[in-house]
Amino acid sequence: MSNETPHITIFDTTMRDGEQSPGASMTLNEKLELADLLETMKVDVIEAGFPAASQGDFEAVKQIAQRAEHAVICGLARSTPGDIDRCAEAVKHAARPRIHTFISTSPVHMKHKLKMGENAVLEAVGRSVTQARNHVEDVEWSPEDATRTEWEFLCRCVDAAITAGATTINIPDTVGYSHPEEYGALIRRLIETIPDSDKVVWSTHCHNDLGLAVANSLAGVANGARQVECTINGLGERAGNAALEEVVMGLRVREDTLPFSTSVDPQYLSQASTMVSRVTGFPVQFNKAIVGKNAFAHESGIHQDGMLKNAETYEIMRPEDVGVSKTSLVMGKHSGRHAFRDKLETIGYTLEDDELNDAFKRFKALADVKKHVFDDDIAALVDAQLSEAGQRVALEDLRVAAGMRGPQTADITLIVDGDTKTATSEGNGPVDAVFKAIRSAIPHKGKLDLFQVHTVTGGTDAQAKVTVRLDGDGFLATGVGAHPDTLVAAAKAYIQALNKLETRRAKQLAA
Ligand code: KIV
Ligand code: ZN
């Protein structure tokens, strides 16, 4: 971080706004894992959830607050007394707690959603911020749908929030409606108009409905905002939020025109993107800026020629800057344990000895069937291993009969709480047969909500990476499996999702 340029606070809301994406739910352990990584990469503020929304959200915010060492841990609350008390209860364990409270201020939201008039909303602003300030020193206030709010009323609300003690004022473009000049001008005009504007930090929160979330956030910064709310991979409601990796690199690469700095270590951006994609089951688009598979791939002859002569011809940043290692061809069956451990460290995994032994065995098994083992193969293998650890149900064996002349059948052997269970099923295709066999071995109510197949790398011997999402009475559980055999990967993904459903069911029964 440069000492000369003003600091921009990076506020990550992947676990709150990001998790509001349909299907993007994360388990408690996944949230803890992500929070640890966000701390390691030096994100300033982690919005860990919406404690009043569910017991699960409350627990996640509380546990993240308990273990965070440096980051401010923030919880979201509507302006009701119950929400604010619940949020305070969850964040109180943090070394640096923050309550973020909000209420809608646009005419359309007040009339149809809140059914409240201006005076009632204004009263709620002052009351909620005061209540939050009675719990913590650090209070953020947001006028939801700010960019469609009438100017005079917006100023009165912001003024009331500052008078009541808000320390950060966040201006959400909730529906992703703004254009950059407009959003930047709004931030500037607020800072110039509101009496005590220099007493608070101004923040951006931009949605991506018109694909402008990052551009709007940077326009906000250029006009006086000093906090940017964003999410890994741009996850979030509808088209998502401003992508954290794009904001961080947009500021870093163009420090000449945007002279600001962040504390985020960009070397972790690629790892964070992979982790969020794995736990949510949302694939990263190949041409996604900064973290997409093709973000640093040069295909055309002219570009390749230029790159060989000097990388600066077509690269404005280096893949290593964002944690993508340059050499993707890594190892084969003759690679040793030391080289394997070094490789794991370069791609961002530090394993305990027993985990390393297990990962090495899996690597050897993969290298036996796959000549070239790439970084992505190793990451997929370790991710699968870590998510399988401690699961009640594990895949022991699978045999499938497939082909044009049916019926397709699957024989499956599972280990359930240490006992062996077998089942055979026919299906409408091999995947259907595999999933039916699992269901027959472990009857459950989860319905298949998503089945998605990708390859981890190229080539016909590539590992398949399968994502399965199960819907158990509205609770969505995502599992990811990787294996050179697509059907084994599918079975592993299904079993991982099922384990999450079973864990939740057990918790509910216990409660
Ligand atoms: O988009 C939005 O308006 C929000 C607020 C709750 C900050 O997410
Ligand atoms: Zn939002």
Side-chain angles (χ1 to χ4, degrees):
M1 177 172 71
S2 150
N3 289 329
E4 289 130 44
T5 50
H7 178 252
I8 301 301
T9 296
I10 296 294
F11 176 117
D12 178 89
T13 181
T14 309
M15 287 182 270
R16 199 281 295 169
D17 208 317
E19 214 209 11
Q20 283 173 223
S21 276
S25 56
M26 303 175 209
T27 64
L28 176 60
N29 283 341
E30 289 163 349
K31 286 185 183 176
L32 296 178
E33 191 190 351
L34 178 57
D36 287 349
L37 180 58
L38 293 174
E39 272 233 300
T40 307
M41 64 198 270
K42 300 204 182 66
V43 161
D44 304 280
V45 186
I46 300 173
E47 188 165 55
F50 188 171
S54 69
Q55 181 58 29
D57 254 41
F58 176 85
E59 204 49 48
V61 177
K62 182 176 152 192
Q63 292 202 25
I64 291 169
Q66 280 165 337
R67 62 205 263 145
E69 284 173 16
H70 312 290
V72 171
I73 302 302
C74 176
L76 184 72
R78 285 166 297 192
S79 56
T80 59
D83 263 38
I84 293 168
D85 283 346
R86 190 86 176 127
C87 185
E89 186 60 28
V91 296
K92 75 175 184 203
H93 308 273
R96 301 171 68 201
R98 176 182 293 186
I99 296 177
H100 175 191
T101 180
F102 73 100
I103 190 165
S104 295
T105 50
S106 67
V108 62
H109 275 222
M110 289 194 296
K111 180 168 177 208
H112 299 288
K113 193 179 99 167
L114 298 179
K115 305 200 189 319
M116 283 165 82
E118 288 192 350
N119 288 342
V121 168
L122 205 52
E123 184 278 324
V125 175
R127 184 194 24 77
S128 55
V129 173
T130 305
Q131 187 192 345
R133 270 306 299 260
N134 286 336
H135 288 291
V136 292
E137 303 249 299
D138 185 352
V139 172
E140 173 169 332
W141 180 75
S142 295
E144 190 185 0
D145 205 13
T147 51
R148 294 191 301 167
T149 297
E150 283 167 0
W151 168 249
E152 299 291 338
F153 186 58
L154 181 61
C155 289
R156 284 167 68 206
C157 289
V158 170
D159 198 22
I162 297 178
T163 306
T167 45
T168 297
I169 299 292
N170 179 45
I171 302 298
D173 185 23
T174 304
V175 290
Y177 179 70
S178 284
H179 275 198
E181 316 79 70
E182 206 179 5
Y183 187 76
L186 176 63
I187 297 283
R188 179 170 294 269
R189 196 171 169 209
L190 281 165
I191 294 176
E192 285 171 355
T193 310
I194 301 293
D196 278 330
S197 66
D198 57 332
K199 305 259 179 337
V200 294
V201 174
W202 292 84
S203 166
T204 68
H205 178 107
C206 299
H207 279 269
N208 204 31
D209 300 66
L210 294 175
L212 293 168
V214 172
N216 287 340
S217 307
L218 296 182
V221 168
N223 285 282
R226 292 293 175 265
Q227 172 177 287
V228 176
E229 302 199 351
C230 43
T231 57
I232 305 289
N233 295 341
L235 203 66
E237 284 275 12
R238 308 179 308 279
N241 284 70
L244 182 147
E245 58 279 4
E246 295 176 25
V247 170
V248 168
M249 292 313 283
L251 289 171
R252 202 177 165 94
V253 173
R254 294 310 309 273
E255 209 184 353
D256 55 333
T257 57
L258 286 167
F260 303 98
S261 55
T262 76
S263 309
V264 173
D265 182 346
Q267 298 263 340
Y268 292 99
L269 293 175
S270 170
Q271 192 184 336
S273 163
T274 309
M275 183 190 289
V276 168
S277 170
R278 165 172 58 86
V279 300
T280 57
F282 279 39
V284 178
Q285 152 196 347
F286 281 9
N287 58 336
K288 163 88 180 59
I290 319 293
V291 290
K293 215 174 185 149
N294 290 354
F296 296 97
H298 301 273
E299 188 68 31
S300 90
I302 296 174
H303 285 212
Q304 284 178 349
D305 182 51
M307 284 293 294
L308 288 172
K309 289 177 176 142
N310 183 333
E312 278 183 24
T313 49
Y314 287 102
E315 247 171 33
I316 57 166
M317 56 198 146
R318 295 171 313 158
E320 308 88 277
D321 296 342
V322 299
V324 175
S325 66
K326 226 174 181 176
T327 45
S328 53
L329 176 62
V330 278
M331 309 178 90
K333 63 179 171 186
H334 301 298
S335 306
R337 203 167 176 280
H338 281 298
F340 182 66
R341 191 189 15 227
D342 285 352
K343 173 51 72 184
L344 284 180
E345 271 166 20
T346 31
I347 61 173
Y349 295 90
T350 311
L351 301 187
E352 302 292 334
D353 278 351
D354 52 341
E355 290 172 333
L356 181 70
N357 291 342
D358 187 7
F360 189 59
K361 266 193 224 142
R362 289 172 187 242
F363 159 70
K364 283 288 184 185
L366 180 62
D368 268 344
V369 292
K370 191 171 189 296
K371 194 168 169 207
H372 300 308
V373 180
F374 297 85
D375 289 2
D376 287 349
D377 285 317
I378 296 182
L381 173 150
V382 180
D383 285 344
Q385 174 190 334
L386 295 180
S387 50
E388 280 164 23
Q391 289 191 347
R392 283 190 57 211
V393 185
L395 178 66
E396 176 74 1
D397 196 19
L398 178 67
R399 298 206 67 77
V400 182
M404 287 171 75
R405 263 171 272 128
Q408 290 80 17
T409 58
D411 296 319
I412 203 157
T413 307
L414 302 174
I415 305 291
V416 184
D417 292 329
D419 296 332
T420 304
K421 282 200 174 186
T422 55
T424 299
S425 285
E426 289 183 358
N428 186 13
V431 175
D432 190 41
V434 171
F435 290 177
K436 281 188 173 140
I438 299 173
R439 187 177 289 277
S440 138
I442 306 172
H444 58 276
K445 289 196 181 137
K447 291 196 185 74
L448 187 68
D449 182 58
L450 173 86
F451 172 68
Q452 189 173 265
V453 186
H454 291 279
T455 54
V456 174
T457 56
T460 47
D461 68 346
Q463 289 193 88
K465 185 167 169 185
V466 176
T467 306
V468 164
R469 193 158 62 222
L470 295 177
D471 182 342
D473 290 335
F475 172 74
L476 297 176
T478 304
V480 181
H483 197 273
D485 183 321
T486 311
L487 295 169
V488 175
K492 283 174 172 258
Y494 193 103
I495 290 167
Q496 195 186 107
L498 182 58
N499 271 302
K500 289 184 184 172
L501 281 191
E502 292 288 302
T503 308
R504 182 179 152 91
R505 199 168 63 91
K507 273 193 191 151
Q508 280 174 337
L509 284 176

